């Protein structure tokens, strides 16, 4: 494998092994630092800033973020190759943060994984220049893309960015990706009405080749991280949607012709 490829550097804040979410089979998930959005409900606030941060966890202060090379990540991935095969298509998933905001590192890591015969996936907001996205698509088997809302004003209110670029990129990704799965976090006060989920599902169903949509129920796991970073979690008063509501929203997704599921 090319030495320059292995020496490409990036900044991450976590590696999660043996995940059964964020792609098919058993996955190794690499969480990258840096994201253009500031979603109010984000469960990984330590992912948002590119810079290193200090976070207090259980009374202990730790540095969040470390610089690594593609070669170092590959050594971690190699440990789990046997599990990928046994789970029927597991592999590497890049998450974040937003992997599109570290395009050189993400492209190199995905390419290296593919050269090793390992399945690849990215979890993304698609908030980036389409040419950056195309660079990663060449080495990506599955794209897990968030569509949080179709209303641009409400999207901006809750994430700090409008969704024009996201929706435009979704149409291109749908045409050019090997596989695109749409995922929607279901957030009370933001997008949990029948009408809002139907609008998102109808948009997803209009995308070329898209057959699957996942509904991800809001949770407060990770809310303590905000205090650890010296920040206020503004959605502490919000309750997760009840199972009955999630089942109803799932039926709406399926009524558009998509295959749907609750959870990733």
């Amino acid at each position: 494998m090319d030495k320059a490829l292995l020496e490409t550097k990036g900044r991450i804040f976590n590696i999660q092994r043996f995940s059964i979410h964020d792609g098919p089979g058993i996955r190794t998930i690499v969480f990258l630092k840096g994201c253009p959005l500031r979603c109010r409900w984000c469960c990984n606030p330590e992912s948002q800033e590119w810079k290193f941060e200090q976070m207090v966890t259980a009374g202990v202060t730790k540095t969040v973020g470390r610089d690594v090379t593609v070669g170092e990540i590959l050594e971690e991935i190699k440990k789990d190759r046997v599990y990928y095969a046994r789970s029927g298509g597991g592999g590497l998933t890049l998450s974040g943060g937003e992997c599109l905001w570290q395009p050189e590192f993400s492209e190199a890591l995905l390419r290296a994984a593919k050269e090793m015969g390992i399945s690849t996936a990215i979890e993304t907001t698609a908030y980036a220049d389409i040419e950056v996205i195309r660079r990663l698509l060449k080495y990506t088997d599955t794209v897990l893309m968030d569509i949080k809302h179709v209303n641009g004003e409400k999207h901006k209110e809750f994430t700090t960015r409008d969704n024009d670029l996201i929706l435009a990129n979704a149409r291109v990704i749908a045409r050019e990706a090997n596989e695109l799965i749409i995922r929607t976090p279901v957030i009370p006060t933001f997008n949990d009405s029948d009408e809002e989920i139907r609008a998102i599902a109808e948009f997803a169903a209009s995308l070329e080749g898209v057959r699957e949509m996942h509904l991800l129920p809001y949770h407060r796991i990770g809310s303590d991280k905000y205090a650890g970073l010296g920040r206020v979690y503004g959605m502490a008063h919000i309750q997760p949607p009840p199972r009955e509501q999630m089942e109803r929203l799932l039926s709406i997704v399926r009524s558009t012709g998509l295959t749907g599921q609750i959870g990733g």
Side-chain angles (χ1 to χ4, degrees):
M1 192 174 294
D2 182 76
K3 183 178 179 182
L5 191 70
L6 295 175
E7 292 178 348
T8 304
K9 290 184 178 180
R11 183 166 295 176
I12 69 171
F13 68 95
N14 192 23
I15 298 176
Q16 180 179 324
R17 300 172 62 194
F18 307 115
S19 174
I20 56 172
H21 304 291
D22 299 304
I26 293 175
R27 317 293 299 182
T28 301
I29 306 177
V30 179
F31 293 88
L32 283 73
K33 285 276 276 176
C35 184
L37 274 57
R38 295 293 182 270
C39 301
R40 290 185 186 178
W41 61 89
C42 181
C43 62
N44 289 322
E46 74 275 36
S47 75
Q48 295 175 350
E49 297 288 346
W50 160 258
K51 66 184 180 182
F52 296 124
E53 297 175 276
Q54 300 298 307
M55 185 167 71
V56 179
T57 304
V60 177
T61 300
K62 64 176 183 179
T63 298
V64 179
R66 61 186 175 102
D67 291 336
V68 296
T69 65
V70 166
E72 289 172 331
I73 298 297
L74 290 184
E75 290 304 311
E76 291 294 316
I77 294 172
K78 289 176 183 177
K79 298 175 183 177
D80 295 336
R81 291 192 70 171
V82 63
Y83 301 106
Y84 303 155
R86 290 176 180 174
S87 65
L92 168 70
T93 298
L94 302 189
S95 189
E98 174 53 71
C99 64
L100 297 176
W101 278 49
Q102 294 190 51
E104 289 78 16
F105 177 66
S106 296
E107 180 185 13
L109 184 51
L110 293 167
R111 176 184 166 188
K114 292 299 292 180
E115 289 185 8
M116 291 172 59
I118 293 173
S119 171
T120 57
I122 62 172
E123 192 279 320
T124 181
T125 67
Y127 193 92
D129 184 89
I130 191 59
E131 293 308 318
V132 169
I133 295 172
R134 284 182 166 129
R135 287 170 57 183
L136 273 61
L137 289 183
K138 291 188 296 183
Y139 308 107
T140 302
D141 295 310
T142 303
V143 177
L144 305 164
M145 180 180 172
D146 277 13
I147 299 291
K148 308 177 197 297
H149 215 293
V150 295
N151 181 288
E153 291 183 5
K154 198 164 188 183
H155 192 280
K156 185 174 183 178
E157 178 186 354
F158 278 76
T159 73
T160 72
R161 305 276 188 167
D162 67 35
N163 59 358
D164 290 346
L165 180 62
I166 292 169
L167 298 183
N169 283 343
R171 297 195 180 279
V172 177
I173 295 169
R175 291 195 302 268
E176 300 183 12
N178 292 311
E179 180 183 35
L180 172 60
I181 297 173
I182 299 302
R183 305 202 306 179
T184 298
V186 178
I187 312 298
T189 73
F190 172 55
N191 67 353
D192 68 330
S193 72
D194 292 6
E195 294 75 18
E196 287 166 314
I197 292 300
R198 184 180 300 279
I200 298 170
E202 288 176 348
F203 174 80
S206 76
L207 297 174
E208 182 178 332
V210 170
R211 300 178 179 86
E212 192 170 349
M213 178 172 168
H214 299 172
L215 297 178
L216 312 179
Y218 168 75
H219 60 75
R220 289 180 291 190
I221 299 171
S223 59
D224 59 324
K225 296 179 181 179
Y226 286 80
L229 290 167
R231 295 169 56 183
V232 175
Y233 183 59
M235 299 191 71
H237 61 293
I238 300 296
Q239 297 294 321
R243 182 73 186 188
E244 296 78 13
Q245 181 184 9
M246 292 301 302
E247 292 288 354
R248 186 180 72 253
L249 297 178
L250 179 60
S251 70
I252 291 172
V253 169
R254 289 173 172 168
S255 74
T256 67
L258 295 170
T259 298
Q261 68 182 52
I262 297 172

